Amino acid sequence: MKIATIVGARPQFIKTAPISIKIKDSIDSLSEIIIHTGQHFEKNMSNIFFDEMKIPKPKFNLNINQINYGQMIENMVQGIKPILYNENINGVLVYGDTNSTLAGSIAAKQIDIPLFHVEAGLRSNDRSMYEENNRIITDHLSDLLFCPNKNAVNNLAGENLTEGVFFSGDIMLDAYIKFNSFKKS
């Protein structure tokens, strides 16, 4: 199975590290390409995480940033779709609630690729936030929903999302445990 991981913002780089490392160390039947949308693009907001956390370098960087919300989502979707198609992707993995998450979700569903959402079910209950809308839409498009806590599972159940829902634990805690041994020079 070939997975495309869609990332673009600093928290996503941290979240993807434990999973990308597991995929890299997995059996040959599982592989990953990383698509970086470019949402966070400065070295201290992007490259440093790939270098220090030993995350595989993105195969693609769309360099989409510093534009309004709607245009950013549209440009990301249009950039991601041909990559998913040309790379023969079997599943798309997205994290959290960023513009990159929503764009990856829309792109996957537009070409009928299964979607996997890590940090599913989290809610602020503030629909004025782009992030809240991003996470709600992504959850409703997803085939597999990986929830960090029981409250997230309950939130999804309250939205009639019960199929493909897993209480998987907190990926940020996993990253903290994995990288806690890092020492500052």
Side-chain angles (χ1 to χ4, degrees), residues 117 119-121 145-149 152-153 156 165-170:
H117 186 202
E119 289 193 324
L145 299 117
F146 299 100
C147 299
N149 55 50
V153 172
L156 293 176
V165 175
F166 299 91
F167 170 45
S168 57
D170 188 341

Side-chain angles (χ1 to χ4, degrees), residues 78-89:
Q78 294 311 312
I80 293 167
K81 279 192 332 189
I83 295 169
L84 298 178
Y85 181 77
N86 292 332
E87 290 288 323
N88 297 310
I89 298 302

Side-chain angles (χ1 to χ4, degrees), residues 96-150:
D97 58 12
T98 68
N99 296 352
S100 301
T101 299
L102 180 58
S105 300
I106 292 169
K109 297 322 287 185
Q110 283 184 348
I111 55 177
D112 200 28
I113 295 175
L115 179 63
F116 319 128
H117 186 202
V118 174
E119 289 193 324
L122 296 178
R123 297 291 182 267
S124 68
N125 298 310
D126 181 356
R127 294 294 295 267
S128 70
M129 297 173 54
Y130 289 130
E131 294 86 356
E132 180 75 350
N133 294 302
N134 291 351
R135 60 177 81 99
I136 291 169
I137 294 166
T138 296
D139 284 343
H140 284 264
L141 292 176
S142 293
D143 298 283
L144 297 177
L145 299 117
F146 299 100
C147 299
N149 55 50
K150 292 289 188 181

Side-chain angles (χ1 to χ4, degrees), residues 63-79:
N63 198 31
I64 298 170
N65 51 65
Q66 298 183 316
I67 54 178
N68 74 55
Y69 175 80
Q71 191 64 55
M72 181 179 284
I73 301 294
E74 183 178 336
N75 290 1
M76 286 178 181
V77 169
Q78 294 311 312

